[in-house]
Amino acid sequence: MVKCQDVMQAMERIAPRRLAEEWDNPGLLVGSPNDDVKKILVALDVREETIEQAIAAGCDMIVAHHPLIFRALKAVRTDDVTGRKIAHLIRAGIAVFAAHTNLDSAAGGVNDVLAEKLGLSAIAPLADGAADGEPGLGRIGSLGEPLSLEAFAALVKERLGLSTLRAVRAGEHEIRRVALCGGSGAEFIGRAAAKGADVYVTGDVKYHDGERAVGLGIHVLDAGHFATEQPIVAALAERLAKALGTGVEISAETKSSDFFQVC
């Protein structure tokens, strides 16, 4: 019988906790390491509909990218969104484990999966990693052939299943080198420019981030937080299945969509 502890150990090999940012809260957030686990649902978020899907599928555990709990709780109240989710999970006997910035940085994690999805080669970390040379946040790589901003934007939309995205044009130069950071990575625009990227792909880009990019001469594509991270869900489910073997059934959550819609 697979235990929750076995899943935790497998996740530690996939996304070591030491790679997490100091402010982050990865790990086992609901449940006990001694819990039996027969079915796991891998998801980006622990949404209320994700919990319902896990219950309907008979899952014992949710492995998510975004932590359900970020900061210390002083109360678990069911009139609060987080408290309601926690109570629902405990009543249903479902454990929750999160791998967040450690999965962003890890080899084969969020950013490597995104880079491969966009067809990049010679992929390297964008941000500095640990002192022992472990990967850091973000990635930078090369396209097989140079593309215009319009052509590359079309490629990103096709690969990520988007109908629209936001673009910041910083001149007329073609794109050969691509930097990226899944989720919210506008803080690395300067680093992407310094490392010679022609375009930076991320989500949650603000107005003055765009202004800075123009000043630095680097195009930016805001493909959204959800779309730049969602590819990890299927990839992580596959890796966990290989790591844990036949003792547990693992599925990838596929019903969630971006909170933001174009009207």
Side-chain angles (χ1 to χ4, degrees):
M1 175 66 69
V2 173
K3 296 285 187 180
C4 182
Q5 180 66 40
D6 298 319
V7 182
M8 294 167 62
Q9 290 172 347
M11 286 302 302
E12 177 64 20
R13 294 191 294 273
I14 292 170
R17 191 185 180 100
R18 65 180 179 274
L19 298 181
E21 300 297 300
E22 289 184 5
W23 51 264
D24 202 3
N25 190 38
L28 186 65
L29 303 178
V30 177
S32 165
N34 295 320
D35 291 343
D36 292 331
V37 177
K38 296 179 181 178
K39 290 187 177 182
I40 299 172
L41 181 66
V42 178
L44 191 66
D45 308 295
V46 185
R47 305 183 185 187
E48 292 187 280
E49 56 265 37
T50 307
I51 298 171
E52 294 293 348
Q53 182 178 341
I55 293 171
C59 294
D60 315 285
M61 189 173 188
I62 296 171
V63 173
H65 179 46
H66 293 139
L68 173 61
I69 303 168
F70 263 115
R71 298 173 183 85
L73 297 174
K74 294 185 178 181
V76 179
R77 293 180 47 155
T78 55
D79 59 341
D80 168 77
V81 175
T82 301
R84 184 166 63 243
K85 291 179 185 177
I86 293 170
H88 200 177
L89 288 160
I90 291 172
R91 285 196 296 264
I94 298 175
V96 173
F97 182 94
H100 190 211
T101 53
N102 47 327
L103 187 59
D104 289 327
S105 288
V110 170
N111 289 300
D112 279 332
V113 169
L114 179 59
E116 292 166 7
K117 191 88 171 175
L118 298 185
L120 304 187
S121 61
I123 301 165
L126 178 62
D128 295 330
D132 58 2
E134 291 174 329
L137 292 170
R139 295 292 184 269
I140 186 167
S142 301
L143 290 174
E145 59 182 0
L147 296 174
S148 67
L149 178 61
E150 292 79 8
F152 182 66
L155 180 150
V156 172
K157 287 192 289 184
E158 187 272 326
R159 298 286 174 87
L160 300 185
L162 296 169
S163 58
T164 62
L165 51 70
R166 297 194 302 156
V168 175
R169 178 183 292 278
E172 298 300 326
H173 59 273
E174 289 188 318
I175 295 168
R176 294 175 173 81
R177 293 278 285 165
V178 178
L180 58 85
C181 184
S184 183
E187 64 188 282
F188 296 126
I189 289 173
R191 185 180 295 272
K195 289 203 170 184
D198 302 301
V199 67
Y200 183 54
V201 181
T202 190
D204 299 342
V205 178
K206 297 181 180 179
Y207 179 87
H208 291 294
D209 298 324
E211 180 183 28
R212 183 163 183 251
V214 170
L216 292 170
I218 182 171
H219 304 309
V220 173
L221 295 183
D222 184 339
H225 198 124
F226 178 87
T228 55
E229 291 189 331
Q230 180 63 15
I232 192 59
V233 174
L236 180 57
E238 183 177 344
R239 289 186 69 184
L240 260 183
K242 291 179 180 178
L244 294 171
T246 58
V248 62
E249 181 181 330
I250 301 174
S251 59
E253 196 274 333
T254 58
K255 296 182 179 180
S256 291
S257 59
D258 199 334
F259 292 116
F260 294 92
Q261 302 294 321
V262 177
C263 298

